[in-house]
Amino acid sequence: MFQFDTGLRFPEKTDSPPINDGFWMRLLTIFLANVCDKQWYRRWKKSNQGVFYVSSKLCLRCSERTRLNEARAMQFVRDHTSIPVPKVYCSIVHRGQVCILMERLPGKPLSHNWVFRSDESKAKILAQLRPMIAELRNVRRPPPPPGSPSNTDIVSGIDGGQFYDGNLPNKRYWGPFSTVREFHRDLRSNLMAVPDEYTEKHFADVRKLVSLHEGYLAVPPVLTHGDLSANNILADGDTVTGIIDWETAAWMPAYWEYTNAWHVNPYNPYWQAEVGKFLEAWPAELEMEKLRRKFFDVY
C-alpha cells in the first residue's frame, strides 16, 4: 500500500475582508448585482465569466467562484506596483455570493488577435510585460501581526488565507500551507512512498515526483497572479492596458507563475511559445509539474 502522511496544517483563514462596504456603496453594488441578474439585462449585455459591463468605466464581477481574495489582490497590487490593475470600488458578500464593483480597463484581451499581430507588435507587448511581472515578484509580503509566527514561508492567499485554483486536483480552495513542502505533499494527496514491488514504469515516475517534491529547495513564496494567459492581459494597439482576473492570486512557489502559464488554456495553444519571453523560465520545476499533472490531474 502507498504510505500517506496527513501532516499538520497552518491555522486556516478562509478569505480576505470586504473593501469599502459602507452602507451606500453596499447598496449600489447590490442594486447593480440585482439588475445584472435580470434576464433582459443578460440578453442585452453578455457577461464574461461572471463579469458584467455596467458602463464604459465600470464592471461588476459576481460568480460562484468569486472570492474577496480577488478584490484584495487587485487592491494590494495597485498599492504596491505600477501594474495596470482595475481599481476596486467595493467588494461585499451578498446572499452567500461575492460581488466586486471595479474599474473597467480599456483594451481587449491579447487572445482577441494575437495570432494576427506582427512579430514587431508581439515583441512590443512582451517587452512591456517583462518588467511588470518582475515588479510583481519583488513585492514584499506584509509582516504578520506582533506576536504571530513568521509568515515568510507560507503558501497562501493574499491575506494569509485560502487561495483558489480551479486547475488543481480534488478541490477548488487550498491552504494555507506552512511551507512549500507541505503544499507539494497536498498536491500529491500526501503520498509519501511507493513500495518496491510496484515495478511498472509509471510507478518509477511517481517515485521520481515524490523525490523531486521532497528534495525541492524552496525559496520563499512570491506574489503570483497564477493565470497569465492571453485572455487575462489587455492591450490597446501595442500598449498593455491591464492585467485582469486575479482570482488565483496568492503567495506561491517561485516557479508557479511560469509552470501555470506554460500549461496554457487549450483554446490558446499559441501562448505556450510566448510564456518564456516575459516570464523567468524554470525548466526543472516544469518537468516536476509535468509529472505531477500526469498522475494528479486537474480538478
Side-chain angles (χ1 to χ4, degrees):
M1 296 291 292
F2 291 167
Q3 298 176 25
F4 293 85
D5 177 6
T6 56
L8 294 176
R9 292 287 185 84
F10 197 84
E12 182 178 303
K13 178 183 176 184
T14 57
D15 208 352
S16 298
I19 295 172
N20 197 22
D21 63 337
F23 176 79
W24 291 111
M25 286 304 300
R26 183 179 182 86
L27 187 65
L28 174 62
T29 302
I30 293 173
F31 170 76
L32 291 174
N34 287 334
V35 170
C36 292
D37 195 44
K38 302 297 183 184
Q39 288 188 1
W40 62 266
Y41 186 90
R42 289 174 179 268
R43 287 195 297 267
W44 177 44
K45 295 265 192 179
K46 292 184 179 179
S47 68
N48 179 19
Q49 296 184 340
V51 178
F52 300 92
Y53 302 112
V54 178
S55 72
S56 61
K57 301 292 185 181
L58 203 63
C59 62
L60 181 74
R61 185 176 178 93
C62 293
S63 74
E64 62 178 13
R65 71 182 189 182
T66 305
R67 303 186 74 234
L68 294 170
N69 183 79
E70 180 177 359
R72 174 66 178 131
M74 289 187 284
Q75 183 187 62
F76 186 80
V77 172
R78 277 183 64 91
D79 289 346
H80 293 86
T81 75
S82 60
I83 298 171
V85 174
K87 180 178 180 179
V88 176
Y89 298 110
C90 179
S91 66
I92 62 170
V93 180
H94 177 58
R95 294 179 179 174
Q97 183 168 277
V98 171
C99 297
I100 304 173
L101 184 62
M102 57 185 166
E103 178 185 15
R104 181 180 178 180
L105 297 179
K108 294 183 178 180
L110 294 182
S111 56
H112 177 71
N113 64 355
W114 185 260
V115 296
F116 301 108
R117 286 178 177 269
S118 66
D119 290 343
E120 181 183 7
S121 174
K122 292 178 181 178
K124 288 179 179 179
I125 294 289
L126 296 171
Q128 293 168 68
L129 288 175
R130 280 193 295 273
M132 289 183 188
I133 305 308
E135 188 178 4
L136 182 70
R137 295 173 67 82
N138 286 327
V139 173
R140 292 190 176 185
R141 187 175 200 148
S148 300
S150 170
N151 62 0
T152 301
D153 297 321
I154 299 172
V155 177
S156 73
I158 295 299
D159 288 331
Q162 290 182 324
F163 58 92
Y164 167 85
D165 194 326
N167 290 320
L168 290 180
N170 304 323
K171 56 191 176 185
R172 291 180 181 271
Y173 304 110
W174 288 69
F177 302 97
S178 58
T179 62
V180 171
R181 175 173 288 183
E182 185 181 317
F183 172 55
H184 282 164
R185 288 179 177 180
D186 205 16
L187 282 177
R188 62 176 195 272
S189 300
N190 289 305
L191 175 66
M192 295 301 295
V194 180
D196 292 340
E197 57 265 29
Y198 291 87
T199 58
E200 291 87 344
K201 172 65 167 61
H202 62 277
F203 287 117
D205 286 341
V206 175
R207 290 190 188 93
K208 181 178 180 180
L209 173 62
V210 173
S211 177
L212 289 172
H213 271 175
E214 291 297 297
Y216 182 68
L217 298 177
V219 297
V222 298
L223 186 55
T224 302
H225 178 282
D227 188 14
L228 287 175
S229 73
N231 293 327
N232 296 330
I233 301 170
L234 306 179
D236 184 4
D238 291 341
T239 301
V240 175
T241 56
I243 296 179
I244 60 173
D245 202 2
W246 291 82
E247 65 182 356
T248 54
W251 299 96
M252 300 297 288
Y255 68 84
W256 197 253
E257 194 82 88
Y258 173 72
T259 58
N260 261 22
W262 191 91
H263 286 96
V264 295
N265 185 316
Y267 295 104
N268 303 320
Y270 56 82
W271 192 242
Q272 191 174 82
E274 313 296 353
V275 169
K277 299 176 184 177
F278 70 95
L279 291 174
E280 178 185 1
W282 295 75
E285 288 76 6
L286 178 59
E287 292 306 309
M288 183 172 71
E289 262 295 282
K290 286 180 180 179
L291 281 175
R292 198 271 302 173
R293 287 172 176 249
K294 180 179 178 180
F295 298 105
F296 301 92
D297 206 353
V298 297
Y299 180 79

PDB file of all heavy atoms in Angstrom, residues 234-257:
ATOM      1  N   LEU A 234      -4.714  42.697 -21.195  1.00  0.00           N
ATOM      2  CA  LEU A 234      -5.392  43.613 -22.106  1.00  0.00           C
ATOM      3  C   LEU A 234      -4.392  44.523 -22.815  1.00  0.00           C
ATOM      4  O   LEU A 234      -3.367  44.901 -22.238  1.00  0.00           O
ATOM      5  CB  LEU A 234      -6.395  44.486 -21.350  1.00  0.00           C
ATOM      6  CG  LEU A 234      -7.455  43.790 -20.494  1.00  0.00           C
ATOM      7  CD1 LEU A 234      -8.340  44.830 -19.817  1.00  0.00           C
ATOM      8  CD2 LEU A 234      -8.288  42.834 -21.333  1.00  0.00           C
ATOM      9  N   ALA A 235      -4.723  44.861 -24.045  1.00  0.00           N
ATOM     10  CA  ALA A 235      -3.882  45.804 -24.802  1.00  0.00           C
ATOM     11  C   ALA A 235      -4.756  46.652 -25.709  1.00  0.00           C
ATOM     12  O   ALA A 235      -5.781  46.193 -26.222  1.00  0.00           O
ATOM     13  CB  ALA A 235      -2.833  45.060 -25.613  1.00  0.00           C
ATOM     14  N   ASP A 236      -4.320  47.891 -25.889  1.00  0.00           N
ATOM     15  CA  ASP A 236      -4.936  48.806 -26.845  1.00  0.00           C
ATOM     16  C   ASP A 236      -3.859  49.118 -27.869  1.00  0.00           C
ATOM     17  O   ASP A 236      -2.883  49.818 -27.561  1.00  0.00           O
ATOM     18  CB  ASP A 236      -5.416  50.066 -26.144  1.00  0.00           C
ATOM     19  CG  ASP A 236      -6.154  51.011 -27.077  1.00  0.00           C
ATOM     20  OD1 ASP A 236      -6.350  50.651 -28.258  1.00  0.00           O
ATOM     21  OD2 ASP A 236      -6.524  52.116 -26.633  1.00  0.00           O
ATOM     22  N   GLY A 237      -3.997  48.568 -29.057  1.00  0.00           N
ATOM     23  CA  GLY A 237      -2.904  48.658 -30.016  1.00  0.00           C
ATOM     24  C   GLY A 237      -1.722  47.857 -29.503  1.00  0.00           C
ATOM     25  O   GLY A 237      -1.857  46.691 -29.139  1.00  0.00           O
ATOM     26  N   ASP A 238      -0.558  48.509 -29.417  1.00  0.00           N
ATOM     27  CA  ASP A 238       0.650  47.839 -28.922  1.00  0.00           C
ATOM     28  C   ASP A 238       0.958  48.200 -27.472  1.00  0.00           C
ATOM     29  O   ASP A 238       2.072  47.966 -26.999  1.00  0.00           O
ATOM     30  CB  ASP A 238       1.849  48.207 -29.801  1.00  0.00           C
ATOM     31  CG  ASP A 238       1.750  47.608 -31.190  1.00  0.00           C
ATOM     32  OD1 ASP A 238       0.982  46.644 -31.364  1.00  0.00           O
ATOM     33  OD2 ASP A 238       2.434  48.113 -32.112  1.00  0.00           O
ATOM     34  N   THR A 239      -0.022  48.746 -26.772  1.00  0.00           N
ATOM     35  CA  THR A 239       0.181  49.169 -25.388  1.00  0.00           C
ATOM     36  C   THR A 239      -0.602  48.270 -24.442  1.00  0.00           C
ATOM     37  O   THR A 239      -1.816  48.098 -24.600  1.00  0.00           O
ATOM     38  CB  THR A 239      -0.278  50.623 -25.179  1.00  0.00           C
ATOM     39  OG1 THR A 239       0.463  51.474 -26.055  1.00  0.00           O
ATOM     40  CG2 THR A 239      -0.060  51.060 -23.742  1.00  0.00           C
ATOM     41  N   VAL A 240       0.093  47.700 -23.471  1.00  0.00           N
ATOM     42  CA  VAL A 240      -0.578  46.895 -22.442  1.00  0.00           C
ATOM     43  C   VAL A 240      -1.379  47.831 -21.544  1.00  0.00           C
ATOM     44  O   VAL A 240      -0.827  48.773 -20.969  1.00  0.00           O
ATOM     45  CB  VAL A 240       0.438  46.098 -21.602  1.00  0.00           C
ATOM     46  CG1 VAL A 240      -0.269  45.366 -20.456  1.00  0.00           C
ATOM     47  CG2 VAL A 240       1.190  45.101 -22.477  1.00  0.00           C
ATOM     48  N   THR A 241      -2.670  47.583 -21.429  1.00  0.00           N
ATOM     49  CA  THR A 241      -3.545  48.469 -20.654  1.00  0.00           C
ATOM     50  C   THR A 241      -4.045  47.842 -19.357  1.00  0.00           C
ATOM     51  O   THR A 241      -4.646  48.535 -18.536  1.00  0.00           O
ATOM     52  CB  THR A 241      -4.762  48.889 -21.489  1.00  0.00           C
ATOM     53  OG1 THR A 241      -5.444  47.705 -21.961  1.00  0.00           O
ATOM     54  CG2 THR A 241      -4.335  49.746 -22.664  1.00  0.00           C
ATOM     55  N   GLY A 242      -3.811  46.561 -19.168  1.00  0.00           N
ATOM     56  CA  GLY A 242      -4.270  45.970 -17.918  1.00  0.00           C
ATOM     57  C   GLY A 242      -3.975  44.489 -17.805  1.00  0.00           C
ATOM     58  O   GLY A 242      -3.838  43.780 -18.816  1.00  0.00           O
ATOM     59  N   ILE A 243      -3.860  44.050 -16.573  1.00  0.00           N
ATOM     60  CA  ILE A 243      -3.833  42.621 -16.248  1.00  0.00           C
ATOM     61  C   ILE A 243      -5.034  42.382 -15.342  1.00  0.00           C
ATOM     62  O   ILE A 243      -5.196  43.055 -14.319  1.00  0.00           O
ATOM     63  CB  ILE A 243      -2.521  42.212 -15.569  1.00  0.00           C
ATOM     64  CG1 ILE A 243      -1.345  42.408 -16.535  1.00  0.00           C
ATOM     65  CG2 ILE A 243      -2.581  40.743 -15.120  1.00  0.00           C
ATOM     66  CD1 ILE A 243       0.012  42.044 -15.962  1.00  0.00           C
ATOM     67  N   ILE A 244      -5.887  41.454 -15.728  1.00  0.00           N
ATOM     68  CA  ILE A 244      -7.151  41.235 -15.043  1.00  0.00           C
ATOM     69  C   ILE A 244      -7.263  39.803 -14.526  1.00  0.00           C
ATOM     70  O   ILE A 244      -6.337  39.012 -14.670  1.00  0.00           O
ATOM     71  CB  ILE A 244      -8.342  41.562 -15.971  1.00  0.00           C
ATOM     72  CG1 ILE A 244      -8.296  40.671 -17.225  1.00  0.00           C
ATOM     73  CG2 ILE A 244      -8.308  43.036 -16.364  1.00  0.00           C
ATOM     74  CD1 ILE A 244      -9.520  40.813 -18.120  1.00  0.00           C
ATOM     75  N   ASP A 245      -8.410  39.502 -13.913  1.00  0.00           N
ATOM     76  CA  ASP A 245      -8.751  38.152 -13.454  1.00  0.00           C
ATOM     77  C   ASP A 245      -7.747  37.645 -12.415  1.00  0.00           C
ATOM     78  O   ASP A 245      -7.016  36.687 -12.637  1.00  0.00           O
ATOM     79  CB  ASP A 245      -8.817  37.196 -14.644  1.00  0.00           C
ATOM     80  CG  ASP A 245      -9.664  35.966 -14.328  1.00  0.00           C
ATOM     81  OD1 ASP A 245     -10.205  35.891 -13.212  1.00  0.00           O
ATOM     82  OD2 ASP A 245      -9.775  35.074 -15.187  1.00  0.00           O
ATOM     83  N   TRP A 246      -7.784  38.280 -11.246  1.00  0.00           N
ATOM     84  CA  TRP A 246      -6.837  37.978 -10.181  1.00  0.00           C
ATOM     85  C   TRP A 246      -7.385  36.951  -9.183  1.00  0.00           C
ATOM     86  O   TRP A 246      -6.954  36.910  -8.038  1.00  0.00           O
ATOM     87  CB  TRP A 246      -6.454  39.272  -9.467  1.00  0.00           C
ATOM     88  CG  TRP A 246      -5.616  40.177 -10.322  1.00  0.00           C
ATOM     89  CD1 TRP A 246      -6.065  41.034 -11.282  1.00  0.00           C
ATOM     90  CD2 TRP A 246      -4.188  40.302 -10.319  1.00  0.00           C
ATOM     91  NE1 TRP A 246      -5.008  41.687 -11.878  1.00  0.00           N
ATOM     92  CE2 TRP A 246      -3.846  41.256 -11.298  1.00  0.00           C
ATOM     93  CE3 TRP A 246      -3.167  39.700  -9.561  1.00  0.00           C
ATOM     94  CZ2 TRP A 246      -2.530  41.629 -11.556  1.00  0.00           C
ATOM     95  CZ3 TRP A 246      -1.855  40.066  -9.819  1.00  0.00           C
ATOM     96  CH2 TRP A 246      -1.544  41.013 -10.801  1.00  0.00           C
ATOM     97  N   GLU A 247      -8.306  36.113  -9.604  1.00  0.00           N
ATOM     98  CA  GLU A 247      -8.931  35.173  -8.674  1.00  0.00           C
ATOM     99  C   GLU A 247      -7.957  34.126  -8.142  1.00  0.00           C
ATOM    100  O   GLU A 247      -8.157  33.589  -7.051  1.00  0.00           O
ATOM    101  CB  GLU A 247     -10.127  34.485  -9.319  1.00  0.00           C
ATOM    102  CG  GLU A 247      -9.779  33.594 -10.491  1.00  0.00           C
ATOM    103  CD  GLU A 247     -11.021  32.971 -11.120  1.00  0.00           C
ATOM    104  OE1 GLU A 247     -12.125  33.199 -10.578  1.00  0.00           O
ATOM    105  OE2 GLU A 247     -10.887  32.269 -12.136  1.00  0.00           O
ATOM    106  N   THR A 248      -6.890  33.811  -8.894  1.00  0.00           N
ATOM    107  CA  THR A 248      -5.922  32.816  -8.435  1.00  0.00           C
ATOM    108  C   THR A 248      -4.691  33.457  -7.793  1.00  0.00           C
ATOM    109  O   THR A 248      -3.711  32.755  -7.502  1.00  0.00           O
ATOM    110  CB  THR A 248      -5.462  31.925  -9.613  1.00  0.00           C
ATOM    111  OG1 THR A 248      -4.970  32.765 -10.674  1.00  0.00           O
ATOM    112  CG2 THR A 248      -6.609  31.093 -10.142  1.00  0.00           C
ATOM    113  N   ALA A 249      -4.730  34.760  -7.560  1.00  0.00           N
ATOM    114  CA  ALA A 249      -3.567  35.441  -6.969  1.00  0.00           C
ATOM    115  C   ALA A 249      -3.278  34.915  -5.569  1.00  0.00           C
ATOM    116  O   ALA A 249      -4.192  34.673  -4.776  1.00  0.00           O
ATOM    117  CB  ALA A 249      -3.817  36.940  -6.916  1.00  0.00           C
ATOM    118  N   ALA A 250      -2.002  34.735  -5.277  1.00  0.00           N
ATOM    119  CA  ALA A 250      -1.606  34.168  -3.988  1.00  0.00           C
ATOM    120  C   ALA A 250      -0.094  34.307  -3.821  1.00  0.00           C
ATOM    121  O   ALA A 250       0.619  34.728  -4.738  1.00  0.00           O
ATOM    122  CB  ALA A 250      -2.009  32.689  -3.910  1.00  0.00           C
ATOM    123  N   TRP A 251       0.377  33.951  -2.629  1.00  0.00           N
ATOM    124  CA  TRP A 251       1.813  33.825  -2.364  1.00  0.00           C
ATOM    125  C   TRP A 251       2.175  32.380  -2.657  1.00  0.00           C
ATOM    126  O   TRP A 251       1.835  31.481  -1.899  1.00  0.00           O
ATOM    127  CB  TRP A 251       2.128  34.208  -0.921  1.00  0.00           C
ATOM    128  CG  TRP A 251       1.753  35.621  -0.612  1.00  0.00           C
ATOM    129  CD1 TRP A 251       0.596  36.060  -0.037  1.00  0.00           C
ATOM    130  CD2 TRP A 251       2.529  36.788  -0.872  1.00  0.00           C
ATOM    131  NE1 TRP A 251       0.592  37.435   0.069  1.00  0.00           N
ATOM    132  CE2 TRP A 251       1.773  37.911  -0.434  1.00  0.00           C
ATOM    133  CE3 TRP A 251       3.795  37.015  -1.434  1.00  0.00           C
ATOM    134  CZ2 TRP A 251       2.244  39.217  -0.542  1.00  0.00           C
ATOM    135  CZ3 TRP A 251       4.258  38.316  -1.550  1.00  0.00           C
ATOM    136  CH2 TRP A 251       3.492  39.395  -1.100  1.00  0.00           C
ATOM    137  N   MET A 252       2.843  32.163  -3.782  1.00  0.00           N
ATOM    138  CA  MET A 252       3.059  30.812  -4.298  1.00  0.00           C
ATOM    139  C   MET A 252       4.543  30.531  -4.515  1.00  0.00           C
ATOM    140  O   MET A 252       5.367  31.445  -4.542  1.00  0.00           O
ATOM    141  CB  MET A 252       2.312  30.653  -5.628  1.00  0.00           C
ATOM    142  CG  MET A 252       0.800  30.855  -5.535  1.00  0.00           C
ATOM    143  SD  MET A 252      -0.019  29.623  -4.485  1.00  0.00           S
ATOM    144  CE  MET A 252       0.115  28.172  -5.527  1.00  0.00           C
ATOM    145  N   PRO A 253       4.895  29.238  -4.685  1.00  0.00           N
ATOM    146  CA  PRO A 253       6.282  28.906  -5.006  1.00  0.00           C
ATOM    147  C   PRO A 253       6.780  29.720  -6.198  1.00  0.00           C
ATOM    148  O   PRO A 253       6.009  30.033  -7.115  1.00  0.00           O
ATOM    149  CB  PRO A 253       6.224  27.410  -5.338  1.00  0.00           C
ATOM    150  CG  PRO A 253       5.039  26.908  -4.578  1.00  0.00           C
ATOM    151  CD  PRO A 253       4.045  28.029  -4.580  1.00  0.00           C
ATOM    152  N   ALA A 254       8.056  30.052  -6.198  1.00  0.00           N
ATOM    153  CA  ALA A 254       8.596  30.976  -7.190  1.00  0.00           C
ATOM    154  C   ALA A 254       8.407  30.496  -8.629  1.00  0.00           C
ATOM    155  O   ALA A 254       8.327  31.306  -9.551  1.00  0.00           O
ATOM    156  CB  ALA A 254      10.087  31.198  -6.912  1.00  0.00           C
ATOM    157  N   TYR A 255       8.306  29.195  -8.832  1.00  0.00           N
ATOM    158  CA  TYR A 255       8.169  28.656 -10.184  1.00  0.00           C
ATOM    159  C   TYR A 255       6.720  28.634 -10.673  1.00  0.00           C
ATOM    160  O   TYR A 255       6.464  28.435 -11.864  1.00  0.00           O
ATOM    161  CB  TYR A 255       8.724  27.217 -10.236  1.00  0.00           C
ATOM    162  CG  TYR A 255       7.913  26.197  -9.464  1.00  0.00           C
ATOM    163  CD1 TYR A 255       6.792  25.585 -10.024  1.00  0.00           C
ATOM    164  CD2 TYR A 255       8.262  25.825  -8.169  1.00  0.00           C
ATOM    165  CE1 TYR A 255       6.040  24.649  -9.322  1.00  0.00           C
ATOM    166  CE2 TYR A 255       7.530  24.905  -7.458  1.00  0.00           C
ATOM    167  CZ  TYR A 255       6.423  24.318  -8.044  1.00  0.00           C
ATOM    168  OH  TYR A 255       5.675  23.391  -7.345  1.00  0.00           O
ATOM    169  N   TRP A 256       5.769  28.855  -9.786  1.00  0.00           N
ATOM    170  CA  TRP A 256       4.361  28.592 -10.072  1.00  0.00           C
ATOM    171  C   TRP A 256       3.813  29.453 -11.205  1.00  0.00           C
ATOM    172  O   TRP A 256       3.023  28.976 -12.031  1.00  0.00           O
ATOM    173  CB  TRP A 256       3.549  28.799  -8.798  1.00  0.00           C
ATOM    174  CG  TRP A 256       2.175  28.191  -8.839  1.00  0.00           C
ATOM    175  CD1 TRP A 256       0.982  28.845  -8.958  1.00  0.00           C
ATOM    176  CD2 TRP A 256       1.855  26.800  -8.742  1.00  0.00           C
ATOM    177  NE1 TRP A 256      -0.055  27.947  -8.938  1.00  0.00           N
ATOM    178  CE2 TRP A 256       0.457  26.689  -8.808  1.00  0.00           C
ATOM    179  CE3 TRP A 256       2.628  25.638  -8.612  1.00  0.00           C
ATOM    180  CZ2 TRP A 256      -0.203  25.458  -8.745  1.00  0.00           C
ATOM    181  CZ3 TRP A 256       1.972  24.415  -8.553  1.00  0.00           C
ATOM    182  CH2 TRP A 256       0.583  24.336  -8.624  1.00  0.00           C
ATOM    183  N   GLU A 257       4.211  30.707 -11.270  1.00  0.00           N
ATOM    184  CA  GLU A 257       3.721  31.595 -12.330  1.00  0.00           C
ATOM    185  C   GLU A 257       4.081  31.038 -13.694  1.00  0.00           C
ATOM    186  O   GLU A 257       3.247  31.006 -14.626  1.00  0.00           O
ATOM    187  CB  GLU A 257       4.308  32.997 -12.160  1.00  0.00           C
ATOM    188  CG  GLU A 257       3.623  34.076 -12.976  1.00  0.00           C
ATOM    189  CD  GLU A 257       2.368  34.596 -12.299  1.00  0.00           C
ATOM    190  OE1 GLU A 257       2.470  35.548 -11.480  1.00  0.00           O
ATOM    191  OE2 GLU A 257       1.273  34.042 -12.582  1.00  0.00           O
TER     192      GLU A 257
END
